[in-house]
Every structure is written in C-alpha cells, then in structure tokens.
Amino acid sequence: MIIQCKHLTKSYIADNKVFKAVDDVNLEIANGDFAVILGHSGSGKTTLLSLVGGLTRPDSGDVLILGKGNWSQGDKYLSTVRNKTIGFIFQFASLIPTLTAKENLLLPLYFGSDSRADREQAMVLLDEVGLADKANSFPAQLSGGQQRRIAIARAFMNNPDIILADEPTGDLDEETENDILQVFKTFNAKGMTFVVVTHNSNLAATQENARIMHMKNGKMTESA
Amino acid sequence: MQINPFQRQCNILDYALSSLWRRKLKNAGILVIFSLVIFLVASFQLLTRSLLGTADEILAFAPDITLQKLSAGRQVDMSEARLAHLAGIFGIAETMPRIWGYYFDETNGANYTVIGLAEEKIAAAGFPLTGQEETGFLKRGGVIMSPAVRDNMGLGERRAFSLFRPDLSQVSFRVAGVFSKETNLVSGDTILMCLEDARDLFALDDNAVTDIAIYVTNPLEIDNIARKIAEMMPDTRVLTRSQIRKTYQAVFGWRSGFGSICLLSALASFVILAWDKASGLSQEEKREIGILKFLGFETRDILALRFWESGLVSGLALVIGLTLAYIHVASGGALFQPILLGWSVLRPELFLTPALQFSDFLLLFSFSVLPYLAATIIPAWRSAIIRADTVI
C-alpha cells in the first residue's frame, strides 16, 4: 500500500465546542489507485487530505506513506515527502503572487534535482495545462482558472508518486475541466496514485477505474 | 536526486535575493535608514582615527619637551635666563625660547595664535611652508601665517598688515610665508614671528618668554631629561611630546565617544524598529511560508532564508555605510568636524586620510550587523514554525 491511514482522528475547537473533523478513519490506497472521496462541505475531506499529506498532525492514529509513519519521522523526512513523494493541489490556487507562473512552477525544484531537463519539464507541463504562453505572467495577471491550472501543473513538477487534490476542478470551465481530468488520467495510467476529494460526483464518473469513497461528519464509507 | 548542502544553500540564497527584490520598496527603505545610521557611526569612528593620525603627524614637528612656568597654578611668563640652567643638563640637543600667545582680531572677529621664536631658530623649527617669499631666517617685521588667517584678514595678495598692541598702538608686519596645508590641524589659526616682534606686540619685558622648547639627542632619554628639569625647576610644568599626544587622544576620544553614544542610540532605535517590523507577519507572508512548507521547505530552510535576507540587508548596509563614511571623511568629514574639532572661529581646513583598521570594522560589524541579525532571529523562528496547513 502506498498510503495507509490507521484510526486517524483530528478534532478542532469551534465556539468552545470540540468538533471532530476526521473521526477514526482507516484507509488503504494502493499504488496507482485513483481514489475519489466525495462529501459535502464540512464533512472533513480537506482535513483528511491535509492529514494524509503530512500538513496537519493528527490527534491520534497515524498515516503511513510507502510504509513509513509520517509523524514518527522528523521535519526533514516530512519535508522530503512533501517535496518528492506528494504533489498537492488545493482548493485555492496557492501561488506566490510575486513570482511568475514559471517561477511558481519551479519552486519544488529548489530542493530537488535542478537539471535543465527539469526546467524544460516546466514548459511541457505549462503546455499540457494550456498556459505555455503565460509562463512569464504573474498570478494577478491570470484568471482564477488559469491560476488553478498553474498550481495543478506545479503539483506534477517533481514527478511525485502521489497527487493529493482538493476540489481540483472547482472553478474551471467545462472544457478546461475535461482537459485537466485528461491530464490526471494520463498520469494515473503511468502509475501515479491520485487521492481526490470533491463534492462533484461527476468527477468520479469520468474516471473509469476510480475508487469511490464517501465522507460524512468525519466518518468514511467506501462504495462497493 | 537530492542536491548537496552547498547547492541547497545557494538555492535558498537565490530565493532570498528574489524575495528581497520582490519587496524592494520596503527593503530599500530599511537599507537606506540602516546605511545612514552606519554611515554616521562609521564617519565618527573614521574621523576620530584620522584626526589622531593627523595629530601624530603634526606632533612630529613639536619639541620633545616644552617648559612652562606656573604661578598659582596658571602659566606665566619666565625669564630667558633659565636657558642657562638647562645648558647643564646632558642630553639636551637644543633649546628654543618661545612666546606663545593669543591675539583677538576685533575687526574680523577671530582669535589668532601668535608664536614668537628667535630669528635664528625659525628655520630650525622646520615648519613646512608654501608660498615662502623670503628665504633664510625670518627677519624683524616678517611673519608666517596660516592660509586661514590670511583669508580671514582679507589680505589677498597684499603682504603688509597691522596688529594692535595692548595700548592700541599699531605694529606693522609683512607676510613672509604661509604654512602648508598639512599642518592645518595645529597651525590653522597661527601667526609665526620673531621673538622680539612678539614681545613688542604683547608688550612683554625684554627677556620674557612664555615657554621653552627643548629638543633631546636620544628620544629614549626624553622622560629622564624631563624629570631632571622638573626637579631642577620645581616652579615649572614640563610637557613631553607623548603627554601632548595623550591629551589629543583624550580630547578627540572624549568627543568621539560622546558623539558615538548619541549615534549608537539611533542604531539601537533602528534595531528595535527592525525587531518590531520583523515580528509582525502579514497574512501574505504567512501564506507564502505555508506554500513553501508544503512544497518541501523545512523549518531550518525558512530560518536560513530569513537569515540570508537579514544578512544581505545588514551586510549591504554596512558596506554602503562604510563606503559613504570613507568618502565623507576623505573629503573632510564636514558633518562632524564642528563636534570633533571644537568651535573655534577659525576652524582649520583639514585634508584627512581615513584609516580603517580591522578593529574599527569589527566594532561596526558588532554594533550593526550582529544586533540586526539578533533582532530578526526570533521573528524568523516564529515565521519558520508556521504550519504547512496555514495555506489551506
């Protein structure tokens, strides 16, 4: 298993009340899976993704990536996992506003290999998301959808084993959404593992081999 | 493939540079203020060092020992006859009776230092001159003056001028030469004349002098000879050249220290401002760090990034401040001359060569770059421990 979640629990305090965002979730994702986690807003999908990606520390339970516990290792290990093993796509574009599209794309390379081929890969990815001509544009000069596509391209920069995507096609038009899903399909066919959280059930329908799971009130159930 | 630690630091440095450039307006503001404060402190430091160096050069012309008579704790005239007593002390190469007094020029509102020397001794005293129009010994009625005195009197190309005796009768003089600019620190307000002319000007007794300059054969014996003179003439003050040098150091050191304390307070205020500025992280900065964290930056990388940013700003400010201070001092140190040289009416025109010693550099580094780095280290740590999920 490339991802294992064991009795994962995470609570937040809101208005002096404890709110369980993720409640004893057990999950196993195999290498090359395309897992889609469906759920309404506030069901705990984003928190689960953050726990899996090692961005948030769980209250209890553990996440194993490639057999190693995220939180039993140090900061260095977690940073390497975030840099090399996982590519993140968030609900928001999460670009650095003062860097150009290409510079944003190259950010993960700061601690990876810094070869010419990788830099050329940035242009290939920009081309795949249809924004090769926007390489030198700043985020403020791009539309929300274009910014989202840059962030998606960046997630693939280090050729990670896993892509964790939170509402990846949230504010894209239908045509662009289809293009992005095609990109996902292509990389998934090459063996890249995808965990996508969304409230859009159509997205799951477009991926033939998708594993569909549901989240509600922090609990997870898997469709047969 | 993992990159090596050196390449990693180079990449962080690269990011730090681009980060500074992206916030160029804010960082330029900090750089300008910081450079200005360092410039002021460094100017003081360099100017003091340069003045002491210049004073040392000038003291090369000073006698080894200066003898003055005291009465009721104040300096008074003494008889030239005392020279005969000195002749008995072995090791004295030469003695030079002098009259050293001050003349207030009411018309031009300035005080001049008048020095009277025996005619045959003036050439031996070795004052560097420019525009000397009379060769050989200075004759009666002839004077050598500083360019500042000549200009203050408005003599221009004229050579004849008059000064007033205490009874307001006039004495006429002619300009026989002008001191060279290298001696300006001590000769800036000086008029040099014959002993007899000085006596006449100040209406002193025929054989009265204000002090006696003594030159010693062996420099190692100066203190011994000074002690012998003091024992032989207990009513005199015996000043050695090294004592005068110490006085210069004390005067310039005190003034410089006072000024430096004021400026260091400004530096401290700036560091507090830097601390305050760096402590408050904006939402944009937090978000940026969150993005860097989920892309693989470690806590230590963010710390290194902040360290590079602070180091680059403070290091560059040190270089700029020091360079400007060097240029400022080399061009005369106009900003601090009034504080370091006093408030005399005729201020000497100085040609200073700034001398930056390693200890000065270390001192400035310790009082500028280090406090700035220290002031930004805790804010840097605060930003470095921002959680990666901040961006979500």
Side-chain angles (χ1 to χ4, degrees), chain A residues 46 50 55-56 75-76 79-80 82-84 88 90 94-99 107-114 154, chain B residues 1-3 7-8 11-12 14-15 22 284 287-288 291-301 388-389 391-392:
Chain A
T46 299
S50 175
L55 302 179
T56 303
D75 183 43
K76 186 180 172 64
S79 300
T80 307
R82 290 180 198 135
N83 185 245
K84 305 273 180 215
F88 292 93
F90 292 107
S94 64
L95 300 177
I96 292 179
T98 46
L99 296 180
L107 266 179
L109 294 183
Y110 267 85
F111 302 118
S113 59
D114 198 13
R154 185 181 60 193
Chain B
M1 189 180 73
Q2 196 69 32
I3 57 172
Q7 184 63 44
R8 191 184 183 91
N11 285 352
I12 294 174
D14 177 50
Y15 190 85
R22 280 182 275 130
E284 189 200 332
R287 192 175 144 78
E288 179 175 334
I291 293 170
L292 295 178
K293 280 284 189 81
F294 83 66
L295 289 175
F297 277 62
E298 293 174 41
T299 299
R300 62 175 183 157
D301 297 328
D389 57 357
V391 74
I392 301 172

Short mmCIF file of all heavy atoms in Angstrom, two decimals, chain A residues 46 50 55-56 75-76 79-80 82-84 88 90 94-99 107-114 154, chain B residues 1-3 7-8 11-12 14-15 22 284 287-288 291-301 388-389 391-392:
data_model
loop_
_atom_site.label_atom_id
_atom_site.label_comp_id
_atom_site.label_asym_id
_atom_site.label_seq_id
_atom_site.Cartn_x
_atom_site.Cartn_y
_atom_site.Cartn_z
N THR A 46 -11.17 17.89 3.40
CA THR A 46 -9.91 18.67 3.30
C THR A 46 -8.98 18.34 4.46
O THR A 46 -7.76 18.19 4.28
CB THR A 46 -10.23 20.17 3.27
OG1 THR A 46 -11.04 20.43 2.13
CG2 THR A 46 -8.98 21.01 3.19
N SER A 50 -5.21 16.85 4.30
CA SER A 50 -4.11 17.51 4.99
C SER A 50 -3.38 16.55 5.92
O SER A 50 -2.14 16.61 6.05
CB SER A 50 -4.71 18.70 5.77
OG SER A 50 -3.73 19.31 6.54
N LEU A 55 0.53 17.59 6.38
CA LEU A 55 0.49 19.04 6.64
C LEU A 55 -0.06 19.32 8.03
O LEU A 55 0.27 20.31 8.66
CB LEU A 55 -0.37 19.75 5.60
CG LEU A 55 0.02 19.58 4.13
CD1 LEU A 55 -0.95 20.34 3.22
CD2 LEU A 55 1.43 20.08 3.89
N THR A 56 -0.93 18.43 8.49
CA THR A 56 -1.57 18.59 9.81
C THR A 56 -1.27 17.35 10.64
O THR A 56 -1.31 16.22 10.13
CB THR A 56 -3.09 18.75 9.63
OG1 THR A 56 -3.32 19.86 8.76
CG2 THR A 56 -3.79 19.01 10.95
N ASP A 75 11.11 16.53 10.92
CA ASP A 75 10.73 17.58 9.98
C ASP A 75 11.38 17.37 8.61
O ASP A 75 10.77 17.57 7.57
CB ASP A 75 11.14 18.94 10.56
CG ASP A 75 10.70 20.11 9.68
OD1 ASP A 75 9.56 20.09 9.21
OD2 ASP A 75 11.53 21.03 9.47
N LYS A 76 12.63 16.91 8.66
CA LYS A 76 13.38 16.71 7.42
C LYS A 76 12.70 15.66 6.54
O LYS A 76 12.52 15.85 5.33
CB LYS A 76 14.81 16.26 7.76
CG LYS A 76 15.75 16.16 6.59
CD LYS A 76 17.12 15.72 7.09
CE LYS A 76 18.06 15.41 5.95
NZ LYS A 76 18.38 16.56 5.13
N SER A 79 9.40 16.96 5.15
CA SER A 79 9.63 17.94 4.08
C SER A 79 10.03 17.23 2.79
O SER A 79 9.60 17.62 1.70
CB SER A 79 10.75 18.91 4.50
OG SER A 79 10.37 19.59 5.65
N THR A 80 10.85 16.18 2.93
CA THR A 80 11.26 15.43 1.73
C THR A 80 10.05 14.74 1.10
O THR A 80 9.90 14.72 -0.13
CB THR A 80 12.34 14.38 2.12
OG1 THR A 80 13.38 15.07 2.81
CG2 THR A 80 12.92 13.71 0.90
N ARG A 82 6.94 15.72 1.28
CA ARG A 82 6.13 16.76 0.62
C ARG A 82 6.76 17.22 -0.70
O ARG A 82 6.07 17.56 -1.64
CB ARG A 82 6.00 17.99 1.53
CG ARG A 82 5.14 17.77 2.74
CD ARG A 82 5.09 19.05 3.54
NE ARG A 82 4.66 18.85 4.91
CZ ARG A 82 5.24 19.39 5.96
NH1 ARG A 82 6.30 20.16 5.82
NH2 ARG A 82 4.79 19.17 7.17
N ASN A 83 8.10 17.21 -0.70
CA ASN A 83 8.80 17.69 -1.90
C ASN A 83 8.86 16.64 -3.00
O ASN A 83 8.70 16.96 -4.18
CB ASN A 83 10.20 18.16 -1.50
CG ASN A 83 10.95 18.79 -2.66
OD1 ASN A 83 11.95 18.26 -3.11
ND2 ASN A 83 10.44 19.90 -3.16
N LYS A 84 9.11 15.39 -2.60
CA LYS A 84 9.41 14.35 -3.61
C LYS A 84 8.25 13.40 -3.88
O LYS A 84 8.05 12.95 -5.00
CB LYS A 84 10.60 13.49 -3.15
CG LYS A 84 11.85 14.26 -2.81
CD LYS A 84 12.65 14.45 -4.05
CE LYS A 84 13.90 15.22 -3.69
NZ LYS A 84 14.28 16.12 -4.76
N PHE A 88 0.67 18.45 -4.25
CA PHE A 88 -0.58 18.96 -3.67
C PHE A 88 -1.31 19.88 -4.65
O PHE A 88 -0.70 20.73 -5.30
CB PHE A 88 -0.28 19.80 -2.41
CG PHE A 88 0.25 19.01 -1.25
CD1 PHE A 88 1.62 18.86 -1.05
CD2 PHE A 88 -0.62 18.41 -0.34
CE1 PHE A 88 2.11 18.15 0.03
CE2 PHE A 88 -0.12 17.69 0.75
CZ PHE A 88 1.25 17.56 0.92
N PHE A 90 -4.61 22.35 -4.15
CA PHE A 90 -5.58 22.81 -3.15
C PHE A 90 -6.79 23.47 -3.80
O PHE A 90 -6.80 23.73 -5.00
CB PHE A 90 -4.91 23.80 -2.19
CG PHE A 90 -3.88 23.14 -1.32
CD1 PHE A 90 -2.53 23.35 -1.53
CD2 PHE A 90 -4.26 22.28 -0.30
CE1 PHE A 90 -1.58 22.73 -0.75
CE2 PHE A 90 -3.32 21.66 0.49
CZ PHE A 90 -1.97 21.88 0.27
N SER A 94 -3.06 28.82 -4.49
CA SER A 94 -1.85 28.74 -3.65
C SER A 94 -0.57 29.02 -4.42
O SER A 94 0.41 28.29 -4.34
CB SER A 94 -1.76 27.38 -2.95
OG SER A 94 -1.61 26.33 -3.86
N LEU A 95 -0.60 30.10 -5.18
CA LEU A 95 0.61 30.55 -5.88
C LEU A 95 1.21 31.72 -5.12
O LEU A 95 0.50 32.45 -4.44
CB LEU A 95 0.27 30.99 -7.30
CG LEU A 95 -0.36 29.95 -8.21
CD1 LEU A 95 -0.71 30.58 -9.56
CD2 LEU A 95 0.56 28.76 -8.42
N ILE A 96 2.52 31.89 -5.25
CA ILE A 96 3.16 33.05 -4.64
C ILE A 96 2.98 34.24 -5.59
O ILE A 96 3.43 34.18 -6.74
CB ILE A 96 4.63 32.77 -4.31
CG1 ILE A 96 4.67 31.72 -3.19
CG2 ILE A 96 5.37 34.04 -3.92
CD1 ILE A 96 6.01 31.29 -2.74
N PRO A 97 2.27 35.27 -5.14
CA PRO A 97 1.83 36.32 -6.07
C PRO A 97 2.95 37.10 -6.73
O PRO A 97 2.75 37.70 -7.79
CB PRO A 97 0.99 37.25 -5.19
CG PRO A 97 1.36 36.93 -3.79
CD PRO A 97 1.82 35.51 -3.77
N THR A 98 4.13 37.10 -6.09
CA THR A 98 5.21 37.91 -6.64
C THR A 98 6.14 37.12 -7.56
O THR A 98 7.16 37.64 -8.01
CB THR A 98 6.02 38.56 -5.50
OG1 THR A 98 6.29 37.55 -4.54
CG2 THR A 98 5.26 39.70 -4.86
N LEU A 99 5.80 35.85 -7.80
CA LEU A 99 6.58 35.04 -8.75
C LEU A 99 5.77 34.83 -10.02
O LEU A 99 4.54 34.76 -9.97
CB LEU A 99 6.92 33.68 -8.14
CG LEU A 99 7.83 33.65 -6.89
CD1 LEU A 99 8.04 32.20 -6.44
CD2 LEU A 99 9.16 34.29 -7.19
N LEU A 107 9.34 26.20 -8.17
CA LEU A 107 9.60 26.22 -6.72
C LEU A 107 9.95 24.85 -6.13
O LEU A 107 10.88 24.76 -5.33
CB LEU A 107 8.40 26.80 -5.97
CG LEU A 107 8.45 28.30 -5.65
CD1 LEU A 107 7.18 28.72 -4.92
CD2 LEU A 107 9.66 28.64 -4.80
N PRO A 108 9.25 23.78 -6.49
CA PRO A 108 9.58 22.48 -5.88
C PRO A 108 11.00 22.01 -6.22
O PRO A 108 11.54 21.13 -5.55
CB PRO A 108 8.55 21.52 -6.48
CG PRO A 108 7.45 22.39 -6.95
CD PRO A 108 8.08 23.66 -7.37
N LEU A 109 11.59 22.62 -7.26
CA LEU A 109 12.93 22.18 -7.67
C LEU A 109 14.03 22.73 -6.77
O LEU A 109 15.18 22.35 -6.89
CB LEU A 109 13.22 22.61 -9.11
CG LEU A 109 12.36 21.95 -10.19
CD1 LEU A 109 12.81 22.42 -11.56
CD2 LEU A 109 12.44 20.45 -10.10
N TYR A 110 13.67 23.66 -5.88
CA TYR A 110 14.69 24.26 -5.02
C TYR A 110 15.46 23.21 -4.23
O TYR A 110 16.63 23.37 -3.93
CB TYR A 110 14.06 25.28 -4.06
CG TYR A 110 14.11 26.67 -4.62
CD1 TYR A 110 13.12 27.12 -5.49
CD2 TYR A 110 15.16 27.52 -4.33
CE1 TYR A 110 13.18 28.38 -6.04
CE2 TYR A 110 15.24 28.79 -4.88
CZ TYR A 110 14.24 29.21 -5.74
OH TYR A 110 14.32 30.47 -6.28
N PHE A 111 14.76 22.12 -3.90
CA PHE A 111 15.44 21.08 -3.13
C PHE A 111 15.47 19.76 -3.89
O PHE A 111 15.70 18.71 -3.32
CB PHE A 111 14.77 20.90 -1.77
CG PHE A 111 14.76 22.18 -1.02
CD1 PHE A 111 13.58 22.79 -0.67
CD2 PHE A 111 15.96 22.81 -0.73
CE1 PHE A 111 13.61 24.00 -0.02
CE2 PHE A 111 15.99 24.02 -0.08
CZ PHE A 111 14.80 24.62 0.28
N GLY A 112 15.19 19.81 -5.15
CA GLY A 112 15.25 18.59 -5.94
C GLY A 112 16.40 18.70 -6.92
O GLY A 112 17.30 19.51 -6.75
N SER A 113 16.36 17.87 -7.90
CA SER A 113 17.38 17.99 -8.93
C SER A 113 17.10 19.31 -9.65
O SER A 113 15.96 19.76 -9.72
CB SER A 113 17.31 16.82 -9.89
OG SER A 113 16.05 16.77 -10.47
N ASP A 114 18.13 19.90 -10.14
CA ASP A 114 17.98 21.23 -10.71
C ASP A 114 18.48 21.23 -12.15
O ASP A 114 19.16 22.14 -12.58
CB ASP A 114 18.79 22.21 -9.84
CG ASP A 114 18.35 23.64 -10.08
OD1 ASP A 114 17.30 23.84 -10.69
OD2 ASP A 114 19.08 24.54 -9.64
N ARG A 154 2.17 22.61 -11.24
CA ARG A 154 3.25 22.59 -10.24
C ARG A 154 3.24 21.28 -9.45
O ARG A 154 4.29 20.77 -9.07
CB ARG A 154 3.09 23.77 -9.28
CG ARG A 154 4.22 23.88 -8.29
CD ARG A 154 4.02 25.04 -7.34
NE ARG A 154 2.79 24.89 -6.57
CZ ARG A 154 2.24 25.86 -5.86
NH1 ARG A 154 2.80 27.05 -5.82
NH2 ARG A 154 1.12 25.65 -5.19
N MET B 1 16.76 12.76 -7.17
CA MET B 1 18.14 13.02 -6.78
C MET B 1 18.19 14.19 -5.78
O MET B 1 17.60 15.23 -6.02
CB MET B 1 18.97 13.37 -8.02
CG MET B 1 20.44 13.46 -7.75
SD MET B 1 21.35 13.86 -9.27
CE MET B 1 20.96 15.57 -9.50
N GLN B 2 18.85 13.99 -4.66
CA GLN B 2 18.95 15.03 -3.64
C GLN B 2 20.14 15.93 -3.94
O GLN B 2 21.22 15.44 -4.29
CB GLN B 2 19.11 14.37 -2.26
CG GLN B 2 18.83 15.29 -1.10
CD GLN B 2 17.36 15.67 -0.99
OE1 GLN B 2 16.50 14.89 -1.34
NE2 GLN B 2 17.08 16.87 -0.52
N ILE B 3 19.97 17.22 -3.82
CA ILE B 3 21.09 18.13 -4.08
C ILE B 3 21.97 18.24 -2.84
O ILE B 3 21.53 17.97 -1.73
CB ILE B 3 20.59 19.54 -4.51
CG1 ILE B 3 19.66 20.13 -3.44
CG2 ILE B 3 19.91 19.46 -5.85
CD1 ILE B 3 19.31 21.56 -3.70
N GLN B 7 24.66 23.39 -2.64
CA GLN B 7 23.70 23.78 -3.68
C GLN B 7 22.38 24.20 -3.05
O GLN B 7 21.73 25.16 -3.49
CB GLN B 7 23.49 22.61 -4.65
CG GLN B 7 22.58 22.93 -5.83
CD GLN B 7 23.17 24.02 -6.72
OE1 GLN B 7 24.35 24.00 -7.02
NE2 GLN B 7 22.34 24.99 -7.10
N ARG B 8 22.03 23.49 -1.95
CA ARG B 8 20.79 23.80 -1.23
C ARG B 8 20.84 25.24 -0.70
O ARG B 8 19.88 26.01 -0.86
CB ARG B 8 20.66 22.81 -0.07
CG ARG B 8 19.32 22.83 0.62
CD ARG B 8 19.35 21.86 1.81
NE ARG B 8 18.07 21.80 2.46
CZ ARG B 8 17.12 20.93 2.14
NH1 ARG B 8 17.31 20.04 1.19
NH2 ARG B 8 15.96 20.93 2.78
N ASN B 11 20.53 27.70 -3.43
CA ASN B 11 19.14 27.84 -3.86
C ASN B 11 18.35 28.71 -2.90
O ASN B 11 17.55 29.55 -3.32
CB ASN B 11 18.48 26.46 -3.97
CG ASN B 11 18.93 25.72 -5.20
OD1 ASN B 11 19.62 26.26 -6.05
ND2 ASN B 11 18.58 24.45 -5.30
N ILE B 12 18.62 28.52 -1.58
CA ILE B 12 17.91 29.35 -0.58
C ILE B 12 18.35 30.80 -0.73
O ILE B 12 17.53 31.72 -0.68
CB ILE B 12 18.18 28.82 0.84
CG1 ILE B 12 17.55 27.44 1.02
CG2 ILE B 12 17.61 29.78 1.90
CD1 ILE B 12 17.86 26.77 2.33
N ASP B 14 19.41 32.19 -3.42
CA ASP B 14 18.78 32.67 -4.65
C ASP B 14 17.34 33.10 -4.37
O ASP B 14 16.90 34.17 -4.81
CB ASP B 14 18.81 31.52 -5.68
CG ASP B 14 18.11 31.90 -6.96
OD1 ASP B 14 18.41 32.98 -7.49
OD2 ASP B 14 17.26 31.11 -7.44
N TYR B 15 16.64 32.28 -3.58
CA TYR B 15 15.25 32.61 -3.26
C TYR B 15 15.20 33.87 -2.39
O TYR B 15 14.32 34.73 -2.55
CB TYR B 15 14.56 31.44 -2.54
CG TYR B 15 13.07 31.66 -2.40
CD1 TYR B 15 12.21 31.32 -3.43
CD2 TYR B 15 12.53 32.24 -1.26
CE1 TYR B 15 10.85 31.55 -3.34
CE2 TYR B 15 11.17 32.49 -1.16
CZ TYR B 15 10.34 32.13 -2.20
OH TYR B 15 8.98 32.38 -2.10
N ARG B 22 11.50 41.24 -4.61
CA ARG B 22 10.05 41.33 -4.76
C ARG B 22 9.46 42.37 -3.81
O ARG B 22 8.47 42.98 -4.10
CB ARG B 22 9.41 39.96 -4.53
CG ARG B 22 9.51 39.05 -5.75
CD ARG B 22 8.85 37.72 -5.51
NE ARG B 22 9.74 36.78 -4.85
CZ ARG B 22 9.41 36.08 -3.78
NH1 ARG B 22 8.24 36.22 -3.22
NH2 ARG B 22 10.27 35.23 -3.25
N GLU B 284 -0.09 37.67 4.06
CA GLU B 284 0.56 37.28 2.80
C GLU B 284 1.84 36.50 3.08
O GLU B 284 2.12 35.49 2.43
CB GLU B 284 0.86 38.54 2.00
CG GLU B 284 1.35 38.26 0.59
CD GLU B 284 2.09 39.45 -0.03
OE1 GLU B 284 1.81 40.59 0.33
OE2 GLU B 284 2.94 39.19 -0.89
N ARG B 287 1.06 33.05 4.42
CA ARG B 287 0.58 32.20 3.33
C ARG B 287 1.75 31.73 2.47
O ARG B 287 1.83 30.56 2.10
CB ARG B 287 -0.40 33.02 2.49
CG ARG B 287 -1.20 32.24 1.52
CD ARG B 287 -2.21 33.20 0.86
NE ARG B 287 -2.39 32.85 -0.53
CZ ARG B 287 -3.15 31.85 -0.95
NH1 ARG B 287 -3.80 31.11 -0.09
NH2 ARG B 287 -3.27 31.58 -2.23
N GLU B 288 2.68 32.65 2.23
CA GLU B 288 3.85 32.28 1.41
C GLU B 288 4.66 31.19 2.10
O GLU B 288 5.09 30.23 1.46
CB GLU B 288 4.73 33.52 1.17
CG GLU B 288 5.97 33.18 0.34
CD GLU B 288 6.81 34.41 -0.02
OE1 GLU B 288 6.25 35.51 -0.10
OE2 GLU B 288 8.01 34.23 -0.23
N ILE B 291 2.96 27.90 1.77
CA ILE B 291 3.17 27.33 0.43
C ILE B 291 4.55 26.70 0.34
O ILE B 291 4.71 25.56 -0.14
CB ILE B 291 2.99 28.42 -0.66
CG1 ILE B 291 1.54 28.89 -0.72
CG2 ILE B 291 3.42 27.89 -2.03
CD1 ILE B 291 1.31 30.14 -1.58
N LEU B 292 5.55 27.43 0.83
CA LEU B 292 6.92 26.90 0.77
C LEU B 292 7.02 25.61 1.58
O LEU B 292 7.70 24.66 1.18
CB LEU B 292 7.92 27.93 1.32
CG LEU B 292 8.06 29.23 0.52
CD1 LEU B 292 9.04 30.18 1.19
CD2 LEU B 292 8.55 28.93 -0.91
N LYS B 293 6.31 25.58 2.72
CA LYS B 293 6.36 24.38 3.57
C LYS B 293 5.77 23.17 2.85
O LYS B 293 6.35 22.10 2.85
CB LYS B 293 5.57 24.63 4.87
CG LYS B 293 6.32 25.43 5.93
CD LYS B 293 7.36 24.57 6.62
CE LYS B 293 8.00 25.19 7.80
NZ LYS B 293 7.24 25.12 9.02
N PHE B 294 4.59 23.33 2.21
CA PHE B 294 4.01 22.14 1.58
C PHE B 294 4.75 21.75 0.30
O PHE B 294 4.60 20.65 -0.21
CB PHE B 294 2.49 22.25 1.40
CG PHE B 294 1.99 22.99 0.19
CD1 PHE B 294 2.20 22.50 -1.09
CD2 PHE B 294 1.24 24.15 0.34
CE1 PHE B 294 1.72 23.16 -2.21
CE2 PHE B 294 0.76 24.82 -0.78
CZ PHE B 294 1.01 24.33 -2.04
N LEU B 295 5.58 22.68 -0.19
CA LEU B 295 6.39 22.34 -1.37
C LEU B 295 7.74 21.72 -0.98
O LEU B 295 8.52 21.38 -1.85
CB LEU B 295 6.63 23.59 -2.22
CG LEU B 295 5.40 24.11 -2.96
CD1 LEU B 295 5.72 25.41 -3.67
CD2 LEU B 295 4.87 23.07 -3.96
N GLY B 296 8.00 21.61 0.32
CA GLY B 296 9.21 20.89 0.73
C GLY B 296 10.23 21.68 1.51
O GLY B 296 11.28 21.15 1.88
N PHE B 297 9.97 22.96 1.78
CA PHE B 297 10.91 23.73 2.62
C PHE B 297 10.80 23.23 4.05
O PHE B 297 9.70 23.07 4.58
CB PHE B 297 10.57 25.23 2.59
CG PHE B 297 11.12 25.97 1.42
CD1 PHE B 297 10.74 25.64 0.13
CD2 PHE B 297 12.01 27.02 1.59
CE1 PHE B 297 11.23 26.34 -0.96
CE2 PHE B 297 12.52 27.72 0.50
CZ PHE B 297 12.13 27.38 -0.78
N GLU B 298 11.97 22.98 4.69
CA GLU B 298 11.97 22.60 6.10
C GLU B 298 11.98 23.86 6.95
O GLU B 298 12.25 24.96 6.46
CB GLU B 298 13.23 21.80 6.43
CG GLU B 298 13.31 20.45 5.76
CD GLU B 298 14.67 19.80 6.02
OE1 GLU B 298 15.16 19.89 7.16
OE2 GLU B 298 15.22 19.21 5.08
N THR B 299 11.75 23.64 8.28
CA THR B 299 11.81 24.78 9.22
C THR B 299 13.17 25.46 9.13
O THR B 299 13.27 26.68 9.09
CB THR B 299 11.55 24.27 10.65
OG1 THR B 299 10.25 23.69 10.68
CG2 THR B 299 11.61 25.39 11.67
N ARG B 300 14.23 24.65 9.08
CA ARG B 300 15.58 25.23 9.04
C ARG B 300 15.82 25.98 7.72
O ARG B 300 16.61 26.91 7.67
CB ARG B 300 16.65 24.15 9.24
CG ARG B 300 16.65 23.09 8.17
CD ARG B 300 17.78 22.11 8.33
NE ARG B 300 17.76 21.17 7.22
CZ ARG B 300 18.80 20.48 6.82
NH1 ARG B 300 19.95 20.61 7.42
NH2 ARG B 300 18.70 19.65 5.81
N ASP B 301 15.13 25.55 6.65
CA ASP B 301 15.28 26.26 5.38
C ASP B 301 14.66 27.67 5.48
O ASP B 301 15.22 28.63 4.95
CB ASP B 301 14.60 25.51 4.23
CG ASP B 301 15.25 24.16 4.01
OD1 ASP B 301 16.47 24.05 4.23
OD2 ASP B 301 14.53 23.22 3.63
N ALA B 388 2.45 24.01 7.86
CA ALA B 388 2.28 23.90 6.41
C ALA B 388 0.81 24.02 6.00
O ALA B 388 0.50 24.38 4.87
CB ALA B 388 2.86 22.58 5.94
N ASP B 389 -0.10 23.70 6.93
CA ASP B 389 -1.52 23.73 6.55
C ASP B 389 -2.12 25.14 6.64
O ASP B 389 -3.31 25.33 6.43
CB ASP B 389 -2.34 22.74 7.39
CG ASP B 389 -2.23 23.01 8.88
OD1 ASP B 389 -1.47 23.92 9.25
OD2 ASP B 389 -2.88 22.29 9.66
N VAL B 391 -1.86 27.38 4.61
CA VAL B 391 -2.31 27.78 3.27
C VAL B 391 -3.72 27.26 2.96
O VAL B 391 -4.40 27.79 2.09
CB VAL B 391 -1.28 27.31 2.23
CG1 VAL B 391 -1.36 25.81 2.01
CG2 VAL B 391 -1.45 28.06 0.94
N ILE B 392 -4.14 26.21 3.67
CA ILE B 392 -5.45 25.60 3.37
C ILE B 392 -6.58 26.47 3.91
O ILE B 392 -6.55 26.85 5.06
CB ILE B 392 -5.54 24.18 3.98
CG1 ILE B 392 -4.43 23.29 3.41
CG2 ILE B 392 -6.91 23.57 3.68
CD1 ILE B 392 -4.33 21.98 4.10
#
